Amino acid sequence: MTASAGTPNAGPLTVLVSTRVVLTLPDDSLLLSPASISISPEIGKIVSIVPTVLPKTSFPPSTTYVDYGSKLLIPGLVDAHVHLNEPGRTEWEGFRTGTRAAASGGVTTVVDMPLNAIPPTTTVAGFKEKLAASQGQCWVDVGFYGGVIPGNADELLPLVEAGVRGFKGFLIESGVDEFPAISSTDIALAMTTLKDTPTTLMFHAEMIPPISDSVGDAVQTSDPPLAPHGALKSYQTFLESRPPSFETYAIDEIISLAHLAPGLHLHIVHLSATQAIPILKAARQSGVDITAETCFHYLGLAAEGVEDGDCRYKCCPPIREQLNQDGLWEELTAPDSCIKTIVSDHSPCTPELKLLPQHLQTIDAPHMHHSDSGIDMTADNLASAKVEKLVTEEEGKQIAKEVGDFFAAWGGISSVGLGLPILYTSAQKRANAGSKTTPSIVDIVRLCCAATAKQVGLSHRKGALKVGMDADICVFDDTEEWVLQSAGMHWKNRCSPWEGHRFAGRVKETWLRGQKVFEYGGMNGGFVSGKPVGEAITEKRVA
C-alpha cells in the first residue's frame, strides 16, 4: 500500500473508491478499510492504493473515477477447482461458457482440472490441445492442472516446464475411462518424481477399504463395496455407499507415503468428511506439508435437505449431514485449520446425465460410459425417461436407467461464479443463528482469493488488492437479496441444486486486469467487454 495518489508514466488511470475495501498489507495480512485504488488499464496492474476515499479532484481530469459508496471491493476470486471439459466434452461445458459464468460471479481466475476433457491433461501433447482449444474463448484468466494416471510419470516434469499449476490423481475410479485411478505405487512414483519441484500434488481422496461390508466366511458371498443397500432413488442409500471411512482411508494412505517427498506440497481436494480433519492436523503437526480444500456445496447444502430422486445434488464425495457441515464451518476459522481454501469443484454435465425429470432436460444426451458410483454403470439414456427395468451388462444388453437413480446419474455440482453469494449467505445465516465461528468477509477473501492463488503459485499476481498485482477486482453488494433462477445461470447447462435458493449479496461488477468484463444489468447480458479478454496462464510455476 502506498500513500501516493497517482503514479507517473502509468498512462490513463482508472480509480475505484469505496468505504469498504479488503486490502492486503505488506505482511500479507488483510484489512477492511476505506480505499482509493488506482489502476492502469494499459498494463493491467494496480499502481496505487490510498487507505481513504479521495475525491475525483485529487486525480488528473482524464481519470476514469468510480465511487462505489459502501459496496465491497475485494480481489477477484481465484477458483482453483473447475472442470471446463474442453476439448472433448463440450456438450457438458466449455471455455467460453464456463469462464463467462466465472466472470459473472467475481471470479477472475479459474484453474482447470485435467479431466473431463478428451484428451485429459496427462501429457504435454494433451496440454497443447487444451491450450489451442482455449484460444479466444476465455472471459477470465485460466490456469491448468496436469493429471497423474498409471504410466504417465515421464510426462510430469515436462508438464511442470510447460506451466501447469499442479497435479491431480484419483485414488478411486474417476468416472471416465481416460483418467483411471492410481495405486500406491503410482502415488509413490509421482511423489519422487515431483519432490524437487515447486508444485502441488493433489488427490481425490476416496479409497475403498480392502474389505468392505464383509467379515469372516461371508467375504466370499457378500455384495461388492459400494453396492447399494436400499432404494436407488433414496439419497440416504447413496450417502451410505460413500462413507467417511473412504476419505479417511485414502488420506491415511497418502500420508503414509509423504516421507518420500518431504518438501512437496500435498493437497486434498473437495474434503467432505470431518472425520479426516484430526488426521490431517496430526500429519501437519508432524511436519507433513499437506492441506485441504472444501467446497461451497458442502458448506451450503446438507443431506437432510436432499429429496429422493433429485440427482442434481449428487457429487463424490457426497454432501453429508448438517452435523458434518457444522464441523467444516468450525474448521474454517480454527487457528490451526487444515482447510486452507474453498472452491467450487464446478463439474457440470448435460441434464440427461443427471437423470432428472423431463422438464429439466433441454439438450440431447451423448453416448457416455462412466462408473463414478464405484459400480460399473452407464449413462446411456434411452429416449424414454420412464423405463423402469434394469438389464444387467452380463446379459449383454444396455442398462436402462430410471429417472432419479443416484447410482446411475453423473456426479457433479454446477456452481462456478456462485461461490461468493453461497458463502456469504450461508455465513450470515449461521451468524444470525448464534454461531461464534462465522467467517467474515476478510476470512472469505483469505479462503477464496489469497490462499487459492497461493495454492497454484499465483500469489505474485492474483488474489490480493495491493500495488503491483493484477487489477482483478470484484464489486459485491452485500445488501441485495435475490433468488437464483435458471436464466441467471451462465454455465452451459442450466442444471444446479442451487436453483430456487435465495441469496444475500450479489456481484455487481468484475474487473480483469484493469478492464471491466462484467456488469450486472449491463449491455450484452452483462458481459460489457464485448469479447473475451482472458488469457491462458502458462508461466512456469516458481513458488
Side-chain angles (χ1 to χ4, degrees):
M1 193 155 47
T2 176
S4 171
T7 58
N9 306 319
L13 281 180
T14 297
V15 176
L16 312 181
V17 305
S18 171
T19 59
R20 295 190 300 158
V21 183
V22 180
L23 301 173
T24 299
L25 302 181
D27 64 355
D28 288 333
S29 62
L30 299 172
L31 175 69
L32 182 63
S33 166
S36 301
I37 303 175
S38 298
I39 60 181
S40 167
E42 287 189 355
I43 62 174
K45 299 288 186 180
I46 297 173
V47 296
S48 172
I49 297 177
V50 180
T52 189
V53 175
L54 296 173
K56 184 176 183 179
T57 53
S58 298
F59 302 93
S62 61
T63 299
T64 299
Y65 180 93
V66 186
D67 186 347
Y68 290 103
S70 62
K71 292 184 178 65
L72 282 160
L73 302 189
I74 66 173
L77 279 70
V78 178
D79 192 339
H81 192 144
V82 173
H83 295 265
L84 294 174
N85 302 340
E86 188 172 357
R89 287 192 174 94
T90 51
E91 67 275 8
W92 294 11
E93 190 62 277
F95 286 105
R96 179 180 176 273
T97 50
T99 58
R100 276 168 65 97
S104 72
V107 177
T108 50
T109 307
V110 299
V111 188
D112 180 51
M113 281 290 166
L115 72 165
N116 300 303
I118 302 174
T121 316
T122 52
T123 65
V124 172
F127 186 28
K128 289 179 179 178
E129 284 194 50
K130 183 171 282 190
L131 288 173
S134 74
Q135 294 303 303
Q137 294 207 75
C138 299
W139 288 81
V140 300
D141 289 347
V142 181
F144 302 86
Y145 291 119
V148 179
I149 61 172
N152 82 324
D154 290 343
E155 294 279 353
L156 302 184
L157 292 179
L159 281 166
V160 171
E161 293 296 320
V164 299
R165 315 314 304 170
F167 294 88
K168 179 186 181 182
F170 278 70
L171 276 69
I172 198 168
E173 288 306 317
S174 70
V176 292
D177 293 340
E178 67 274 5
F179 206 94
I182 50 178
S183 67
S184 296
T185 302
D186 298 318
I187 295 171
L189 184 55
M191 286 182 175
T192 54
T193 301
L194 296 170
K195 65 179 181 179
D196 297 320
T197 61
T199 194
T200 299
L201 181 56
M202 310 183 300
F203 301 94
H204 179 127
E206 285 185 291
M207 195 172 183
I208 302 172
I211 297 177
S212 179
D213 213 57
S214 308
V215 292
D217 293 337
V219 72
Q220 300 299 322
T221 58
S222 66
D223 289 334
L226 290 179
H229 289 267
L232 301 184
K233 289 185 177 182
S234 166
Y235 186 73
Q236 187 63 30
T237 303
F238 172 67
L239 181 60
E240 290 172 355
S241 78
R242 313 284 294 215
S245 60
F246 279 29
E247 294 188 63
T248 57
Y249 185 74
I251 290 170
D252 280 335
E253 184 72 11
I254 293 161
I255 292 170
S256 74
L257 298 167
H259 66 278
L260 298 172
L264 181 62
H265 177 212
L266 308 177
H267 184 73
I268 306 302
V269 299
H270 48 51
L271 181 72
S272 170
T274 54
Q275 290 86 342
I277 291 173
I279 300 171
L280 289 166
K281 285 188 168 181
R284 288 172 56 80
Q285 290 167 2
S286 70
V288 178
D289 185 6
I290 189 167
T291 56
E293 68 190 36
T294 194
C295 301
F296 303 119
H297 44 272
Y298 297 138
L299 295 167
L301 302 173
E304 291 87 345
V306 182
E307 293 185 9
D308 289 349
D310 191 348
C311 298
R312 293 178 301 176
Y313 290 81
K314 180 186 175 180
C315 60
C316 300
I319 295 165
R320 303 193 187 277
E321 300 87 349
Q322 182 64 52
L323 184 62
N324 185 86
Q325 185 197 103
D326 293 341
L328 292 174
W329 278 101
E330 291 171 6
E331 181 65 13
L332 293 179
T333 54
D336 60 343
S337 178
C338 62
I339 301 176
K340 298 298 184 181
T341 53
I342 308 175
V343 296
S344 69
D345 186 14
H346 176 69
S347 185
C349 65
T350 60
E352 288 78 7
L353 298 185
K354 282 290 191 181
L355 302 182
L356 297 173
Q358 190 66 38
H359 71 279
L360 293 175
Q361 299 183 11
T362 58
I363 301 174
D364 291 336
H367 179 91
M368 196 278 290
H369 179 89
H370 76 85
S371 56
D372 78 320
S373 291
I375 312 170
D376 192 15
M377 290 186 167
T378 64
D380 304 329
N381 306 310
L382 301 183
S384 172
K386 298 180 180 179
V387 177
E388 298 290 334
K389 185 179 179 182
L390 293 177
V391 184
T392 65
E393 283 186 308
E394 287 74 19
E395 293 172 335
K397 299 179 180 179
Q398 184 184 50
I399 301 178
K401 293 296 175 289
E402 186 179 0
V403 164
D405 181 345
F406 277 101
F407 289 83
W410 177 257
I413 305 287
S414 293
S415 64
V416 67
L418 199 57
L420 183 55
I422 291 171
L423 205 54
Y424 190 83
T425 302
S426 300
Q428 292 301 305
K429 287 180 179 178
R430 292 185 66 83
N432 293 339
S435 172
K436 304 299 184 184
T437 57
T438 304
S440 66
I441 189 63
V442 170
D443 292 319
I444 291 173
V445 168
R446 171 176 54 82
L447 291 158
C448 300
C449 307
T452 44
K454 180 180 179 181
Q455 177 183 312
V456 296
L458 289 174
S459 56
H460 63 293
R461 289 181 52 187
K462 303 289 187 182
L465 297 183
K466 64 179 179 180
V467 172
M469 302 292 282
D470 286 0
D472 297 345
I473 299 170
C474 168
V475 181
F476 186 62
D477 184 352
D478 59 343
T479 66
E480 183 170 341
E481 293 193 359
W482 59 287
V483 176
L484 178 67
Q485 305 291 358
S486 176
M489 302 178 194
H490 295 287
W491 45 81
K492 180 167 288 186
N493 293 292
R494 295 175 176 180
C495 172
S496 174
W498 294 106
E499 184 173 0
H501 281 247
R502 177 173 293 277
F503 295 106
R506 187 194 288 274
V507 172
K508 306 298 280 188
E509 295 180 11
T510 304
W511 293 69
L512 176 67
R513 285 180 281 103
Q515 182 172 348
K516 190 195 299 184
V517 293
F518 177 80
E519 180 179 352
Y520 178 73
M523 63 179 184
N524 194 31
F527 298 95
V528 293
S529 61
K531 62 180 181 179
V533 296
E535 299 176 350
I537 299 173
T538 57
E539 63 181 69
K540 183 180 175 181
R541 182 170 176 174
V542 297

